[in-house]
Amino acid sequence: MGGNGVRHALRRPEFLRTALPWRAAGYLLVTGVSGVLLCVGLLLAVVVAGVLAVVLVGLPLLAALALSGVGYARWERWLLRLPDGTRVADPHHVPDRPGLSAWVRLRYREPATWRELGFTVLAAFLLWPVDLIVVACALGVPACLLAALPMLLLDGEQVHVLKLWEVHSPAVAGALGLAAPVVLALAAYPLTVVAAGRAALARLLLSPGGQELRIGELVSSRARLVDAFEAERRRIERDLHDGAQQRLVALSMTLGLARLDAPPGSPLAAQLTVAQRQAGEALAELRELINGIHPQVLTDRGLPDACADAADRSPVPVEVRFDLPGRLPSAVESAGYFAVCEALANVARHSGATAARVEGRYADGLLTIDVSDDGSGGADPAGGTGLTGLADRVAVVDGALTVDSPAGGPTLLRVEIPCTPLSPTRSA
């Protein structure tokens, strides 16, 4: 029930014939009763927790009270459908892993949890009296006026109108009874406005903010782009491996067989030899290209073995050591692998190092990869060594790249990527 919608509804001549005033009354009545029960429950819980805190049992209860707003906010979001039928999105994220501990840790870190707790306290100690008073005035006053109508059926006897006042005249009773529908109709307007205001306050505090929604959309969009990019890269790698590479292998074998049939020492044999060598060189380049797009070892065996394979192809001796709890998401493994490849390429081209080291570890939801060397140092991301592009690649998966490379060395490149392991496997 937005402000513009309420203003538009109040201006409509048929407003009183719609269900909107009754939905507003029902909304305020339910929220008022819920607030009373919530107030009593919170007061009892605080008293019990304060008593039990002497023996340290109440501390977990007090911690649980901080999360009480999450449950009450879910109820309030459901109630927001009463005024106008619109739904309110849940601002909370889904935990990365199952279990109560992961859920509690995530909820304590979310700003929405503390907004909901604030709204719960507000509803328990401030909003519910307003809700019930407005409903009582909007519906109770017309009910009192209608209670005077029995005077018309009596012969001048005194009638108590809900014990609030006494009516002695049938004429007065008739006038009061006739005024009841008018008062009810007039009360529908402020009743609806109050309900709309309360609903707007609840939506402001309990629904995702515009900035949060925008950030969530950007994160989801970026994740979809990363997944699509990885899928397309794997498709290209698969097509090259199963298509062009196999054709080049067949071509090389055909040239070899033709060279065996050619007269030894003839110009044809020499040309076939050159053609076979060129086909072999093209095949080697294609294999390097396929490996650069997405190495098969990374898909089959994971990040540690893929980095070990890259280290074996490095002209600088490289020691590789990983300690991971299992396979990581493919986008994370890909980003980590290409970070290691780019770092080792820089070591070989620019550092003058005699040895390098690659170390990977996982702790507290963070993959950390260190690539160090004993070279001359002085690595500068602005110097065209590929570090800027590498930082962009790592940033796509919410990672960070830091470089410590003083003049004279040594150089340490660190990649940090938040992630969650997929399945347990042995460490490499």
Side-chain angles (χ1 to χ4, degrees), residues 2-65:
N4 293 331
V6 171
R7 286 193 294 270
H8 178 70
L10 292 176
R11 295 193 190 103
R12 295 169 60 186
E14 65 274 13
F15 166 71
L16 294 176
R17 297 197 300 269
T18 66
L20 189 58
W22 298 108
R23 296 172 70 101
Y27 173 67
L28 291 179
L29 182 61
V30 175
T31 55
V33 174
S34 300
V36 172
L37 298 177
L38 177 66
C39 179
V40 174
L42 286 180
L43 290 176
L44 289 177
V46 170
V47 171
V48 172
V51 173
L52 296 180
V54 179
V55 291
L56 300 180
V57 179
L59 296 181
L61 182 57
L62 287 174
L65 281 176

Side-chain angles (χ1 to χ4, degrees), residues 336-359:
Y337 169 77
F338 286 107
V340 171
C341 289
E342 182 66 29
L344 293 180
N346 286 337
V347 170
R349 295 170 186 168
H350 308 291
S351 70
T354 60
R357 182 181 180 91
V358 177
E359 292 182 286

Side-chain angles (χ1 to χ4, degrees), residues 18 36 85-86 114 144 189 198-199 286 367 401 404:
T18 66
V36 172
T86 58
W114 305 107
C144 291
Y189 289 89
R198 193 194 187 286
L286 181 60
L367 169 67
L401 173 73
D404 182 15

Side-chain angles (χ1 to χ4, degrees), residues 215-234:
I215 292 174
E217 292 173 359
L218 291 175
V219 171
S220 300
S221 176
R222 184 176 65 177
R224 290 193 298 268
L225 288 175
V226 170
D227 292 340
F229 175 75
E230 287 295 324
E232 183 66 14
R233 185 164 62 180
R234 292 189 180 191

